[in-house]
Amino acid sequence: MSDGLKMVVLLKQVPDTSSKAGVNPDGTVDRARAKKMLNPFDKYALQKALEVKRAVGGEVIAVTMGPPPAISVLSDALEYGADTGYLLTDRRLAASDTLSTAFALHKAIIYIGSDVDMVFTGLQTTDGDTAQTGPQIAERLDMPQITYCDRLEMKDGKALVRRVVEGGHQDLEIPLPALITVANSATPLEPKRFAAVYKVRELSRDKGAYDEKIKTVNLDDIDVDPAKTGLAGSPTVVGKTWKMGDIGGTCVMFQGGAPEHEVEQLVERLTTDERGIEELIQ
Amino acid sequence: MSDRIEYDVALVGASPSNLTLAYRMVELATGPLRIAVLEKAKEVGGHLLSGAVSNPRVLKKLFPDWDNSDFPLEGICKKSYLTIVGPTGWADVPQLVMPPHFDKRGYAILNISDMAAYIAGKIAEKAGEKEGVVVDFYPGFPARSILFDGDTVIGVKVDDTGDETADNLYAKVTVFGDKGFVSRDLVGKLNLRQNPQAWAVGVKEVWETKESHEGQVWHTAGYPLEKGHLGGGFIYGCKNNKLIVGMVMALDHENPNIRPPIALQNLKKNPVIQEMIKGGKLLKYGASVLPEGGYYSLPKKFAVSGAVLVGDALGTLDVKRFSGVDKAMESGYIAAEVITGALFKGDTSEAGLAGFQEKLMNSFVGKELYDSRYFKRTFQEHPELLNNVIPTLVNHVESGRGVITASVAYGLADPIGGLKLLGAKTMMDNPSEIGPTKYNEDRTHINKSYSSVPLEPAEDYDEDTIHTAADIVFYAHTHYGEENKHIDEFDSSVCGQCVEEYEGRDTPCVGDCTAEVHQILEKEGKRTHAMALENCVQCTTCEIVCPKTNLRVNAALHGYGPDFSGM
Ligand SMILES: Cc1cc2nc3c(=O)[nH]c(=O)nc-3n(C[C@H](O)[C@H](O)[C@H](O)COP(=O)(O)OP(=O)(O)OC[C@H]3O[C@@H](n4cnc5c(N)ncnc54)[C@H](O)[C@@H]3O)c2cc1C
Ligand SMILES: Cc1cc2nc3c(=O)[nH]c(=O)nc-3n(C[C@H](O)[C@H](O)[C@H](O)COP(=O)(O)OP(=O)(O)OC[C@H]3O[C@@H](n4cnc5c(N)ncnc54)[C@H](O)[C@@H]3O)c2cc1C
Ligand code: SF4
Ligand code: SF4
């Protein structure tokens, strides 16, 4: 695997928002009972890495930090076509905020190798939702960072990227290594291929080979001072959480006419009446 | 060659039959065994839909504590009714004269979707306990086509990367429990059909109601079916205030526009059902087809070299007893034993698997199918049953009479008819041999110029309980990717011609679709056939009824389709 690029994709396991399991009546989540899934935003990151691999060759390494069951997002990543995985798990990581998460993950990337060419992250998560982890890691690794990337093409060892910015796009050419947070307007993750899924099924039955492909590491392995992670390393204080009320707003119904006519009315309302859009989203 | 994806057994469909088969094979395994289960739904059970009230005889064999464990039972039938229904009338057939096969007391009320997920979990548990026993589930990966070596089935094609090693799944035995989705190609290629299959379509809703009807089971006859149309309604009370309301309608009726979802809405307008569902909440909607041909639609061979057919793919459903689930499961149970033996002997040729047919025909499956063999034919030979008797009963019930009074009234009005009925009853229940039955394909019964004579539905109903066909589709929770295209329309000019022939009404695909997929669009003054595939629940009705054989419904890829969990 010495040819091509060495790419790390950061993946996070989050509570499955489509499942009601583990949602308390007050809207908080019981993480132990909740069904889990791969953070939907991270699928775009994984897809980008796989696209680059397909285009110029290389290796895609999936990395996640979380409790032991989070290893399933790595098996999942392998089924989608990633090559190897690292699970960073340690009791001392519990209650980490973004500062300490980014610290631990940047150390994990250093542990994986000084020759990492690209780090891909999702835009944000569906649980923490801060969108801070990627940028913090880039700073700590002293890598240039491209946020909100939705297109990426490799040319002569450089990456031609397109960022989504308010009101348009920004095209950039960047040298590697770099950290890229991938926007959700990028290509959606392609469905799994049968042979890849089959291989992971086979792998899961060969403990030795499995541990070789998907390595589990702790803070000591990656040389992290426990004081910098977990509760101890997390300055954030959650003051209060509260349940948001109903979204409210007015609802305008177009009904009774032919569908074509109703759609026309809706479009007209949205485009000509200046208050139209505000009224609909209020 | 060593990279080939190989298993001992490939199961097409995580169906009641195939899951029973896998469970039983794991139970019987004394050495290494590798089974792959392909399922087109995103999750096991995701595309499974049934009634279902079922004799628990096979369930008991798998899980002796089925009625007292974490098995997802919806209830046990405590009261069983056969009911004659009109737009407003409702009369139960007294227990004394009710045909015994309508008495479902003691039967399990199942939702086979959750049942399948449960069995899959138990298979994984059991396989985990046995060294060398592997059962791999591949939800979201349908078998796309069958791989042959001459006339021997050597596996199925699952992917299409273009690289055979990555795309093909090879197995010593491939078992089709797929309701015909791909196995019809096997039946076609090896010319196994002696008589076409006869199909019915079933539509169903799951409700959460204000009051519990747990353990009560109604089968209804009469309204809203038109004269001559075989079928009926079913209402099953489940635990947690769930209520199932559904209808099954044969597809060999003359009417080109039977509109299954609308028929179900009309049935629900009956005041008795209204009383049950008023103030409740619709949870799900779905549809699926049932092979009703029975004994005479069974293929010549149940197993060929390298392959076995089970369940509805084989045609084990017994429409007289409304028994599909238990027979499908039994077919899997028996196939498991035959395949285990064949693998042990190293002979999975046609001869090695041939024991299956004999064993199945000697089991309750074969015996009951034989006993019911003239059920459908009775209605062919006694058209007065569906043309006069039922409509007359409905008329009487509609005017407030009980079934007995209504029957007596019928007998007096037409004594000869009464006698003929006795003949029909004998033919159904105690048939003497009158030779094989011949069916014509369902599509050939459709009559372009059929004029519909429906009974007007009740007008006094709660609007919140009734949905338009377009709205009901939402409750099937279908999901498809933009690139999806799972129904082939072979020749658009054939459709164009068909649309012309059906001037002034809908073509059969439009009129019989259960999910508002097929449409006729007016473009520049011309009517053309179009499909909104994102609605499709993959019931295959349109393919069955298309009079020009111009459609094929394929298994959609990537787990796309409805979400029938809990159905
Ligand atoms: C119980 C609990 C308590 C918390 N308390 C605090 C707190 O006190 N203070 C605070 O600031 N935060 C707190 N958090 C949030 C938590 O620290 C963040 O979830 C985490 O730091 C990642 O940030 P994010 O989820 O906002 O990810 P984002 O920054 O939105 O994620 C961006 C990308 O970073 C990557 N990424 C993020 N997390 C991981 C991971 N674990 N493994 C691999 N890749 C990852 C993914 O690619 C992701 O798409 C708490 C979370 C929990 C569950
Ligand atoms: C509305 C309705 C009501 C019914 N009520 C009753 C009742 O009350 N009692 C009763 O006993 N029976 C009833 N039945 C009949 C019963 O449901 C069937 O007989 C039974 O489900 C047949 O089981 P099977 O094992 O053949 O599999 P099926 O139920 O036919 O399942 C086939 C499976 O194969 C999968 N599949 C199909 N093609 C592919 C492919 N190419 N690749 C991978 N997977 C594929 C499907 O997604 C599905 O999971 C009813 C049926 C319907 C439709
Ligand atoms: S699909 Fe069949 S029924 Fe529908 S319009 Fe075409 S030919 Fe007619
Ligand atoms: S398009 Fe065909 S398969 Fe799909 S829901 Fe309609 S009738 Fe069923």
Side-chain angles (χ1 to χ4, degrees):
Chain A
M1 288 268 177
S2 54
D3 304 354
L5 301 175
K6 188 162 178 174
M7 291 172 279
V8 168
V9 190
L10 298 180
L11 305 175
K12 186 182 182 189
Q13 194 178 49
V14 295
D16 184 342
T17 41
S18 69
S19 156
K20 287 193 189 75
V23 180
N24 298 321
D26 65 355
T28 57
V29 175
D30 177 351
R31 287 184 179 254
R33 282 199 307 126
K35 265 180 87 179
K36 309 285 194 321
M37 64 177 187
L38 172 60
N39 174 28
F41 289 97
D42 297 351
K43 294 186 171 177
Y44 299 95
L46 181 56
Q47 173 69 19
K48 248 321 146 264
L50 294 169
E51 282 172 10
V52 174
K53 175 181 161 178
R54 196 184 306 157
V56 298
E59 181 189 7
V60 175
I61 306 164
V63 176
T64 193
M65 167 177 143
I71 200 162
S72 67
V73 305
L74 300 178
S75 299
D76 221 21
L78 259 54
E79 290 184 350
Y80 278 112
D83 298 288
T84 55
Y86 285 87
L87 168 68
L88 169 58
T89 188
D90 200 306
R91 285 183 156 277
R92 294 168 291 181
L93 282 166
S96 292
D97 68 3
T98 61
L99 192 73
S100 80
T101 301
F103 183 78
L105 283 171
H106 109 277
K107 280 292 213 177
I109 294 166
I110 293 174
Y111 171 80
I112 288 166
S114 56
D115 53 345
V116 168
D117 295 295
M118 273 197 262
V119 179
F120 291 92
T121 80
L123 199 57
Q124 64 197 71
T125 60
T126 51
D127 60 345
D129 236 344
T130 66
Q132 292 174 359
T133 312
Q136 287 192 31
I137 293 173
E139 288 305 312
R140 292 197 182 275
L141 289 172
D142 201 17
M143 270 186 194
Q145 55 177 297
I146 297 294
T147 54
Y148 278 96
C149 167
D150 76 343
R151 285 196 195 160
L152 188 154
E153 220 178 284
M154 291 302 300
K155 202 173 168 211
D156 306 328
K158 288 192 176 146
L160 307 180
V161 296
R162 189 175 88 164
R163 293 186 65 227
V164 187
V165 294
E166 224 161 301
H169 294 118
Q170 183 181 33
D171 289 310
L172 294 162
E173 187 184 287
I174 53 158
L176 302 185
L179 182 142
I180 290 150
T181 82
V182 183
N184 54 346
S185 53
T187 341
L189 185 55
E190 279 166 36
K192 295 174 182 177
R193 307 252 56 144
F194 176 57
V197 176
Y198 168 75
K199 277 196 193 115
V200 176
R201 296 274 193 285
E202 290 284 285
L203 182 69
S204 67
R205 286 187 280 272
D206 183 344
K207 177 107 180 63
Y210 186 82
D211 292 346
E212 194 53 39
K213 277 252 181 211
I214 300 184
K215 295 201 175 82
T216 300
V217 295
N218 62 25
L219 290 181
D220 303 329
D221 296 324
I222 64 169
D223 188 27
V224 168
D225 173 2
K228 290 198 166 175
T229 62
L231 199 53
S234 297
T236 312
V237 178
V238 178
K240 183 178 174 227
T241 62
W242 62 93
K243 192 180 173 184
M244 301 293 286
D246 290 330
I247 293 169
T250 45
C251 177
V252 186
M253 298 283 272
F254 300 99
Q255 58 188 169
E260 296 85 353
H261 182 60
E262 284 167 21
V263 171
E264 263 170 35
Q265 275 187 310
L266 174 66
V267 172
E268 191 180 298
R269 176 88 183 208
L270 288 172
T271 51
T272 57
D273 182 347
E274 274 175 26
R275 286 192 323 114
I277 290 182
E278 277 104 282
E279 188 181 353
L280 281 172
I281 58 176
Q282 231 168 38
Chain B
M1 283 306 257
S2 64
D3 277 347
R4 275 166 52 124
I5 301 176
E6 269 176 299
Y7 287 87
D8 295 311
V9 183
L11 303 180
V12 180
S15 51
S17 49
N18 267 342
L19 291 169
T20 305
L21 187 153
Y23 187 89
R24 182 65 178 148
M25 279 197 80
V26 172
E27 208 167 53
L28 293 171
T30 51
L33 171 69
R34 285 166 54 83
I35 300 178
V37 187
L38 297 169
E39 169 53 50
K40 68 180 164 74
K42 189 165 72 163
E43 278 168 62
V44 169
H47 289 177
L48 282 174
L49 179 146
S50 184
V53 165
S54 175
N55 188 325
R57 47 193 157 175
V58 189
L59 199 56
K60 260 182 207 163
K61 291 199 273 189
L62 302 191
F63 312 112
D65 57 352
W66 64 281
D67 53 350
N68 185 25
S69 66
D70 56 347
F71 180 84
L73 194 61
E74 295 285 356
I76 291 181
C77 173
K78 301 257 158 49
K79 285 194 175 151
S80 185
Y81 309 94
L82 171 62
T83 307
I84 308 292
V85 176
T88 60
W90 183 277
D92 297 329
V93 175
Q95 211 79 33
L96 266 175
V97 293
M98 184 167 91
H101 53 264
F102 275 105
D103 186 355
K104 303 292 184 191
R105 280 174 300 173
Y107 279 25
I109 306 179
L110 300 170
N111 99 52
I112 64 167
S113 168
D114 288 356
M115 175 179 91
Y118 177 87
I119 303 178
K122 291 289 167 192
I123 292 169
E125 253 174 50
K126 237 190 171 46
E129 291 163 7
K130 291 197 172 186
E131 186 69 29
V133 173
V134 164
V135 183
D136 285 335
F137 286 89
Y138 293 101
F141 288 100
R144 300 184 187 211
S145 57
I146 305 170
L147 300 171
F148 288 95
D149 178 6
D151 283 348
T152 298
V153 174
I154 54 168
V156 285
K157 181 168 178 302
V158 185
D159 207 342
D160 72 343
T161 62
D163 167 13
E164 275 184 18
T165 346
D167 294 345
N168 294 351
L169 186 159
Y170 297 96
K172 295 182 185 120
V173 183
T174 305
V175 187
F176 296 92
D178 64 341
K179 206 180 270 193
F181 262 92
V182 277
S183 54
R184 60 194 140 162
D185 294 342
L186 175 72
V187 171
K189 178 178 155 94
L190 302 184
N191 201 10
L192 301 180
R193 272 261 165 268
Q194 29 200 358
N195 209 1
Q197 185 55 271
W199 295 94
V201 59
V203 280
K204 161 178 169 178
E205 293 178 4
V206 183
W207 282 77
E208 192 179 287
T209 54
K210 280 170 55 191
E211 266 153 50
S212 171
H213 303 87
E214 182 174 345
Q216 300 196 69
V217 162
W218 290 266
H219 287 107
T220 74
Y223 175 81
L225 292 170
E226 296 191 14
K227 267 188 183 180
H229 199 173
L230 183 60
F234 58 91
I235 303 165
Y236 301 156
C238 307
K239 62 185 188 199
N240 301 328
N241 285 16
K242 272 206 302 187
L243 186 78
I244 285 156
V245 188
M247 270 196 78
V248 168
M249 314 166 82
L251 291 175
D252 61 357
H253 191 240
E254 280 182 85
N255 189 350
N257 298 166
I258 64 171
R259 307 200 194 282
I262 300 300
L264 179 55
Q265 302 311 309
N266 287 342
L267 175 66
K268 277 163 50 198
K269 290 178 184 168
N270 180 288
V272 177
I273 304 182
Q274 278 290 304
E275 208 41 58
M276 297 185 203
I277 59 176
K278 233 187 264 170
K281 194 172 136 203
L282 174 62
L283 302 176
K284 283 250 162 120
Y285 165 80
S288 192
V289 292
L290 306 80
E292 291 195 339
Y295 188 82
Y296 289 110
S297 287
L298 289 168
K300 272 184 271 188
K301 296 174 194 166
F302 301 1
V304 296
S305 185
V308 176
L309 295 159
V310 291
D312 280 1
L314 177 63
T316 52
L317 184 126
D318 171 1
V319 65
K320 175 174 130 185
R321 293 179 178 78
F322 214 45
S323 134
V325 177
D326 53 346
K327 291 191 168 70
M329 289 175 79
E330 181 72 359
S331 72
Y333 198 86
I334 292 174
E337 292 171 357
V338 173
I339 295 169
T340 301
L343 288 174
F344 183 76
K345 287 201 204 111
D347 178 9
T348 55
S349 69
E350 188 167 317
L353 296 168
F356 174 58
Q357 186 152 352
E358 200 192 322
K359 279 200 170 149
L360 188 64
M361 289 319 282
N362 284 328
S363 73
F364 75 78
V365 178
K367 289 189 179 130
E368 291 180 6
L369 282 178
Y370 181 73
D371 167 76
S372 311
R373 69 197 181 282
Y374 294 133
F375 180 80
K376 231 179 135 59
R377 177 154 164 196
T378 308
F379 295 96
Q380 289 172 1
E381 304 215 348
H382 294 273
E384 72 278 10
L385 282 175
L386 295 172
N387 284 331
N388 305 340
V389 179
I390 300 267
T392 309
L393 284 179
V394 169
N395 273 341
H396 283 282
V397 166
E398 195 58 17
S399 53
R401 271 174 270 199
V403 172
I404 294 275
T405 340
S407 315
V408 172
Y410 180 84
L412 289 182
D414 179 7
I416 298 184
L419 275 180
K420 267 172 98 187
L421 280 192
L422 268 179
K425 187 171 167 358
T426 313
M427 185 167 171
M428 236 180 253
D429 292 340
N430 257 320
S432 49
E433 199 50 63
I434 48 169
T437 303
K438 197 86 201 130
Y439 301 127
N440 294 317
E441 284 193 316
D442 294 317
R443 66 185 99 238
T444 62
H445 294 262
I446 295 174
N447 172 3
K448 271 198 270 291
S449 39
Y450 174 81
S451 65
S452 197
V453 277
L455 287 173
E456 284 305 316
E459 279 170 16
D460 193 15
Y461 57 86
D462 176 2
E463 292 198 359
D464 291 342
T465 60
I466 303 298
H467 296 80
T468 62
D471 280 350
I472 199 78
V473 177
F474 281 109
Y475 293 87
H477 301 284
T478 56
H479 169 75
Y480 288 93
E482 274 171 35
E483 79 292 0
N484 172 69
K485 194 181 173 309
H486 69 285
I487 301 186
D488 299 330
E489 177 198 286
F490 298 122
D491 184 343
S492 62
S493 68
V494 170
C495 284
Q497 197 193 331
C498 179
V499 170
E500 246 168 64
E501 286 171 23
Y502 280 85
E503 177 79 65
R505 57 170 70 198
D506 284 337
T507 56
C509 65
V510 177
D512 292 355
C513 176
T514 59
E516 296 274 291
V517 174
H518 296 275
Q519 298 164 1
I520 292 177
L521 294 184
E522 296 259 6
K523 250 200 230 150
E524 291 145 19
K526 232 186 131 227
R527 288 172 10 118
T528 54
H529 168 246
M531 294 185 274
L533 288 180
E534 64 277 13
N535 285 350
C536 179
V537 299
Q538 296 171 26
C539 69
T540 71
T541 303
C542 53
E543 176 180 326
I544 295 165
V545 298
C546 172
K548 318 243 177 214
T549 334
N550 198 30
L551 288 176
R552 178 172 170 120
V553 182
N554 299 300
L557 306 176
H558 315 312
Y560 295 155
D563 171 9
F564 285 164
S565 59
M567 297 290 268

